[in-house]
Amino acid sequence: MPTIKEFNTLGEYLENSMLLKTSPIAVKMLRNEADIPEGAIRPKKDRGYHLAQCQAFSMSRRNGLTVAMLKEDNWCWGTLFAYGLIPLNTADRFMELQKDIKNIPVLEYRKYIGIVSAPLKTANFVPDMVLIYSKTAQIRTMLYALSFKGEGLINSTIYPVASCAFSVVPALSGQYYITLPDPGECGRALAGDDEIIFSVPVEKVEGLVAELKTIDSRKMGFKDNSFLEMRSDFPRPDFYKRLYRECGLDADDKPTWPES
């Protein structure tokens, strides 16, 4: 497991290599108040207001803040149920929650007292996961890098409610996950219409960065993306030609224009 400083370095690389608009965030579940890192803001206790969890994530990734969210800090129902801060059967008394509560992932009641987030590049704690808010082209590059080690196929449930649940809970069990920011996160936490969330379990962060460094060194990373004009009979790698020859198809052995 990387040290805190090593995680900070990984965060710097992710942000710079992928040209991310906001910082990847370190996220850790809190079992007790002793787990709250030094310098963390506790919204209700320290500032006298409440936040939705997506707003706390936004403050971390945009403003560089470490934010600890306990039950009393929350201003949205999603995290109260998803993180096990209130009993799940409480939802039985609210018809408005009946459909959604059946679809969101939830943690064991009282296993945790809350959650803390901070920019990965400055976090003073070892996270449970890293959340990367990115454009689709950026997440494609990350999955492409992971495909070289057989991890590029990601199975996620896409649901337009409680992105705070889907981005966090599955990653605790070691799953990569892809989540759509929900309407509340877009409306109240400034998530962009072009953003999507990639959740990376803590044990996989170092491997992701290693694969990104590999494709960066081969000029295949996000910074090296280039777009050719729409053109027929474009140049292809050699194995394409060998495959086509084996299948009796045109191999295009002689490109009609010079490769750059």
Side-chain angles (χ1 to χ4, degrees), residues 15 40 50 55 63 75 83 123 141 145 147 233 243:
E15 188 167 341
H50 307 86
Q55 292 177 312
N63 305 116
W75 207 237
Y83 301 168
T141 297
S147 72
D233 298 317
L243 172 64

Side-chain angles (χ1 to χ4, degrees), residues 9-219:
T9 300
L10 295 174
E12 287 276 8
Y13 190 89
L14 278 170
E15 188 167 341
N16 295 331
S17 171
M18 298 305 303
L19 301 178
L20 295 170
K21 184 168 63 175
T22 62
S23 296
I25 53 177
V27 173
K28 180 180 177 64
M29 301 306 298
L30 302 170
R31 291 182 178 272
N32 51 61
E33 292 201 19
D35 289 340
I36 299 173
E38 183 179 354
I41 296 167
R42 297 178 61 177
K44 184 67 171 69
K45 178 181 178 182
D46 297 335
R47 298 192 172 182
Y49 56 60
H50 307 86
L51 295 171
Q53 183 60 56
C54 55
Q55 292 177 312
F57 286 160
S58 185
M59 291 167 67
S60 292
R61 69 189 183 98
R62 296 178 185 280
N63 305 116
L65 300 177
T66 301
V67 185
M69 293 282 286
L70 278 61
K71 180 168 66 174
E72 61 269 21
D73 298 298
N74 279 275
W75 207 237
C76 185
W77 64 268
T79 44
L80 294 176
F81 289 106
Y83 301 168
L85 305 181
I86 62 175
L88 186 61
N89 61 11
T90 305
D92 296 342
R93 300 191 292 276
F94 295 86
M95 290 301 298
E96 299 89 341
L97 297 176
Q98 295 307 300
K99 292 181 180 178
D100 290 332
I101 204 67
K102 296 175 182 178
N103 292 325
I104 68 170
V106 298
L107 297 171
E108 178 185 339
Y109 175 48
R110 285 184 174 173
K111 182 175 183 178
Y112 302 105
I113 65 165
I115 189 172
V116 64
S117 61
L120 182 59
K121 65 183 180 183
T122 59
N124 60 351
F125 57 89
V126 173
D128 291 324
M129 72 197 71
V130 171
L131 305 187
I132 304 170
Y133 284 71
S134 75
K135 297 180 180 180
T136 54
Q138 292 163 324
I139 200 168
R140 180 191 64 213
T141 297
M142 289 184 278
L143 297 184
Y144 179 62
L146 289 173
S147 72
F148 285 93
K149 58 184 297 187
E151 292 189 328
L153 181 62
I154 308 300
N155 294 312
S156 300
T157 298
I158 302 299
Y159 193 63
V161 176
S163 50
C164 55
F166 287 97
S167 62
V168 170
V169 176
L172 285 173
S173 62
Q175 298 180 63
Y176 293 110
Y177 219 76
I178 295 172
T179 305
L180 295 176
D182 65 39
E185 182 157 11
C186 293
R188 303 186 185 99
L190 309 180
D193 290 340
D194 60 346
E195 286 188 309
I196 196 164
I197 309 166
F198 185 33
S199 304
V200 184
V202 63
E203 64 270 19
K204 296 180 180 292
V205 176
E206 192 173 25
L208 169 62
V209 173
E211 295 302 319
L212 287 173
K213 287 182 176 180
T214 297
I215 66 169
D216 284 345
S217 70
R218 298 174 181 173
K219 302 299 181 184

Side-chain angles (χ1 to χ4, degrees), residues 230-247:
M230 185 77 74
R231 187 164 184 173
S232 63
D233 298 317
F234 48 85
R236 300 173 300 170
D238 184 65
F239 83 87
Y240 278 63
K241 301 173 186 179
R242 289 188 281 108
L243 172 64
Y244 270 55
R245 279 195 295 268
E246 184 170 322
C247 296

